């Protein structure tokens, strides 16, 4: 599961290529500015803190994002082939959501605010598998709220489809998402299948 330096470099270049191939104009410029500023974190950050979670190793974050993008596209094609409704959102919304769904894990903007730092406690690493800790400088926030903060900080407007997808991609693993996924009326049901596709893609990538 450990990536080589060449793997990390290749994944980073793929990530940046996706931005330039998938977006145009002002949006491409702003995404590139964001990920220029976050370049080192994007290259080296894990996707999680504990060794029994997914991609808890250097470069794990970028690797995970690339997998989510791959599975999001693949799931979209499967749903389309099965006759599911997939014509009320765009490919750009799909890719934007997958690209940025875990952005908050990279930490707040600014120096010394990395989302993850290596755990200095050998006891916690050995007995709990907690390889990384969160930075202690930043104010407490959920990953999704931090993601939204970063995106607005860089002036990246989102469609409702993108906003909802990024916000609730963890499905019912997050208690706050239950009203969205467990709607029991016509009004409360999803208007598109994009959030479900994104949740499935994230789960597939995590497994």
């Amino acid at each position: 599961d450990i990536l080589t330096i060449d793997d990390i470099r290749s994944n980073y270049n793929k990530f940046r290529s996706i931005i330039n191939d998938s977006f145009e104009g002002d949006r491409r410029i702003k995404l590139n500015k964001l990920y220029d500023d976050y370049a080192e974190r994007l290259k080296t950050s894990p996707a999680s803190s504990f060794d029994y979670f997914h991609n808890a190793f250097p470069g794990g974050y970028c690797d995970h994002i690339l997998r989510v993008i791959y599975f999001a596209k693949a799931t979209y094609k499967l749903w389309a082939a099965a006759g599911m409704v997939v014509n009320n959102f765009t490919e750009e919304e799909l890719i934007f959501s997958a690209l940025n769904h875990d952005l908050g894990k990279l930490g707040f903007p600014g120096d010394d605010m990395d989302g993850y730092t290596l755990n200095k406690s050998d006891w916690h690493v050995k007995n709990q598998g907690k390889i990384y800790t969160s930075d202690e400088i930043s104010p407490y926030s959920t990953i999704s709220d931090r993601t939204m903060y970063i995106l607005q900080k860089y002036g990246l407007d989102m469609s409702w489809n993108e906003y909802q997808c990024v916000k609730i991609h963890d499905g019912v693993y997050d208690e706050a998402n239950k009203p969205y996924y467990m709607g029991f009326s016509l009004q409360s049901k999803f208007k598109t299948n994009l959030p479900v596709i994104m949740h499935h893609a994230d789960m597939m990538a995590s497994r």
Side-chain angles (χ1 to χ4, degrees), residues 87-106:
N87 63 355
N88 51 6
F89 59 87
T90 67
E91 183 179 7
E92 180 172 330
E93 289 176 322
L94 178 79
I95 296 174
F96 183 92
S97 301
L99 187 78
N100 298 294
H101 77 282
D102 269 346
L103 174 59
K105 289 185 176 182
L106 296 182

Side-chain angles (χ1 to χ4, degrees), residues 72-150:
K73 289 181 175 181
T75 303
Y76 168 84
K77 291 178 181 178
L78 175 63
W79 282 45
M84 306 291 281
V85 177
V86 291
N87 63 355
N88 51 6
F89 59 87
T90 67
E91 183 179 7
E92 180 172 330
E93 289 176 322
L94 178 79
I95 296 174
F96 183 92
S97 301
L99 187 78
N100 298 294
H101 77 282
D102 269 346
L103 174 59
K105 289 185 176 182
L106 296 182
F108 278 93
D111 297 336
D112 301 322
M113 289 191 173
D114 293 0
Y116 296 101
T117 56
L118 281 172
N119 196 341
K120 296 178 181 178
S121 169
D122 291 338
W123 188 93
H124 286 88
V125 173
K126 180 180 178 181
N127 293 285
Q128 295 184 348
K130 187 168 184 173
I131 302 172
Y132 294 90
T133 59
S134 301
D135 89 84
E136 298 177 353
I137 300 172
S138 303
Y140 171 78
S141 64
T142 63
I143 292 170
S144 61
D145 283 344
R146 195 155 59 243
T147 296
M148 298 307 177
Y149 174 79
I150 296 168

Side-chain angles (χ1 to χ4, degrees), residues 2 46-58 60 129 131-132:
I2 304 302
S48 54
S49 300
F50 292 88
D51 59 7
Y52 51 86
F53 288 168
H54 65 283
N55 289 42
F57 47 78
I131 302 172
Y132 294 90

